Amino acid sequence: MNKAVINHIRKFTTFEWLVFIKVLENQTEEELKKIEPNSIELYNLQNFNWYVILADLALRLAEYERTKVNFKQLPTPDDYRKYISLYLNSSDNESNFTKDLNYSLNLALSKYGYEQMKRYAPPVNDLGRLIKLYGGIESVFQEKFGLLPKQAVYFYTLNNAKHEIYEPFDFKNMLRLLQGYDSTITENRLQTFLNIFSITIKDYRLSAKNEGITKTTVKSKRLIEKYPIICLDKNYLYFIPSIHVLLESLSHKIFEKLKELQKNSDAFQRKFGDVFEDYIRALTQFSHKEHFYECNQLIQEDHQKKAEFYLVKDDIAIIVEAKLLHIDEQIILNGSSVDLERKFKNTIRTAVEQIQSCFEKIDKGHQYGLIVIHTHIPLLETYTKQFEGRKGFDFLNNIKIISIIDYEILIHNEIESIFDYLKQDDENKQQIALSFEQRNPFCEQSVLDLVDELSDKTPDMLQ
């Protein structure tokens, strides 16, 4: 650990660094180029995940006992470069790379591309997913978090609209604003929500220490995604350093948090698996109702393996199987490729067999299978390769594993466009997000419905 860099970081308080990070997040592309003209490093500043890293470093390493901010002496671009050098020059958690590379090139590249490629969908997709997917377990959501899914969207929306205000918000003012949206939001419910998603700087450090995260391990688990709201003092003042981290916590990270709060996490996961399947089904029917068929109609024998549903148009069939396969981020960041493969193996084998049964029942010239999972990891399409060469698995090139993020982007397109994409060789095709319009109309409509419900009281959620 570079002591000079640590001392430089501690020139500013944790809160000053957090305000600086929030200022960075609000900069235009031209303003960011002035801070970092190097195109490679500029990519970091344009990557939502970078703000997770920056906020985590501030919370763990800066001076936290002083809480006042001197807005005239915030960190400068030069201070920022010294600040990030600690992360960029660190090699912790990279010692596994050679071992992973020797085991599987694809799995190794998938793991080490995760930080750069894990999020890219527009916020409206995430907000729509929060409303529609978690609306399927609305009562459980409210019981654990205090607010309903759509009320959590109100909270995000308010703070998104006020993100350029660098002062912390107080509890009573936030309650008043939220009740302007929804009078059923009570003081106790809002307090429950903030207790779950907020943490003091001191407790952040203690929690990191208890989880084995030290000052020298800068590329490790980041608690900021679990606690995106920082409680500054006992007077109920709160600060949100990154609106992107808040959205991450309320969308991609929400399942992990909800699962942790369950008395019986396995039973909850089974129940949520059904809700996840229903969400995938609703997404698909929204865009392709006239071509949609249930696999129950295709295969009616008891105990026969089958996928969820399929789409048929002319000589094209696309079979879809949804799997609530959630991979803990710690396995991706810190586990080995062997660990990662083990998490996939049984679930993906079962999904492949379910799709294969449907292939045998559909007589179409072009048949493809999609396995949709809950977790996004780069290069997911390579994960079926572990079954190559096995007897009866000669159709693997026609089956793709994609995350819910990519499925939302892909499925609203015409079937012919989806087919044209699927038939390309993996080596030649672009990422789904680069090949199609990213906004999903189903997700967008759910947010627009909420906007209509709130009429002119609601700031624009879609910016």
Side-chain angles (χ1 to χ4, degrees), residues 68-244:
K68 291 185 178 180
V69 174
N70 185 343
F71 283 94
K72 294 181 180 179
Q73 294 184 359
L74 289 177
T76 66
D78 285 338
D79 293 318
Y80 162 75
R81 292 186 187 95
K82 290 180 181 177
Y83 180 70
I84 64 169
S85 69
L86 189 72
Y87 176 82
L88 295 175
N89 295 329
S90 174
S91 61
D92 65 293
N93 288 339
E94 293 177 0
S95 58
N96 287 332
F97 186 67
T98 301
K99 184 185 294 184
D100 287 335
L101 202 60
N102 290 334
Y103 179 76
S104 168
L105 173 62
N106 290 322
L107 290 181
L109 293 177
S110 176
K111 279 183 56 184
Y112 288 89
Y114 176 73
E115 289 277 74
Q116 288 72 39
M117 302 166 64
K118 66 177 180 176
R119 303 289 177 255
Y120 42 74
V124 69
N125 287 12
D126 296 328
L127 293 171
R129 189 184 319 115
L130 177 58
I131 295 167
K132 287 297 187 182
L133 176 57
Y134 289 90
I137 50 168
E138 194 173 74
S139 60
V140 176
F141 194 98
Q142 185 178 54
E143 176 193 349
K144 299 302 180 182
F145 296 143
L147 301 182
L148 295 168
K150 68 176 184 179
Q151 292 169 340
V153 173
Y154 303 161
F155 181 84
Y156 167 83
T157 303
L158 265 176
N159 286 284
N160 187 41
K162 295 178 176 295
H163 195 55
E164 292 186 7
I165 299 174
Y166 302 118
E167 296 290 344
F169 67 81
D170 68 87
F171 178 86
K172 288 184 178 180
N173 188 46
M174 179 57 65
L175 178 63
R176 178 182 61 81
L177 292 171
L178 284 171
Q179 286 179 334
Y181 287 163
D182 188 338
S183 60
T184 66
I185 298 174
T186 65
E187 183 175 335
N188 286 340
R189 290 198 177 281
L190 176 58
Q191 194 61 69
T192 297
F193 179 80
L194 290 173
N195 287 345
I196 292 288
F197 288 97
S198 71
I199 194 170
T200 66
I201 299 170
K202 182 177 181 180
D203 286 342
Y204 189 98
R205 294 183 174 211
L206 288 173
S207 296
K209 184 178 180 180
N210 290 337
E211 295 199 26
I213 304 169
T214 68
K215 288 183 178 180
T216 58
T217 52
V218 299
K219 295 179 179 177
S220 57
K221 184 176 182 179
R222 296 174 184 114
L223 299 180
I224 184 66
E225 291 177 314
K226 190 175 182 179
Y227 304 107
I229 308 166
I230 306 304
C231 182
L232 294 176
D233 60 30
K234 295 179 181 179
N235 295 319
Y236 300 105
L237 286 175
Y238 298 89
F239 189 74
I240 297 173
S242 168
I243 198 68
H244 297 309

Side-chain angles (χ1 to χ4, degrees), residues 1-25:
M1 177 66 66
N2 189 319
K3 289 185 177 180
V5 175
I6 289 289
N7 290 336
H8 188 81
I9 289 174
R10 291 177 67 84
K11 280 175 52 181
F12 304 94
T13 68
T14 302
F15 193 22
E16 284 166 342
W17 276 115
L18 293 180
V19 171
F20 174 75
I21 291 164
K22 194 167 188 173
V23 172
L24 269 184
E25 199 173 53

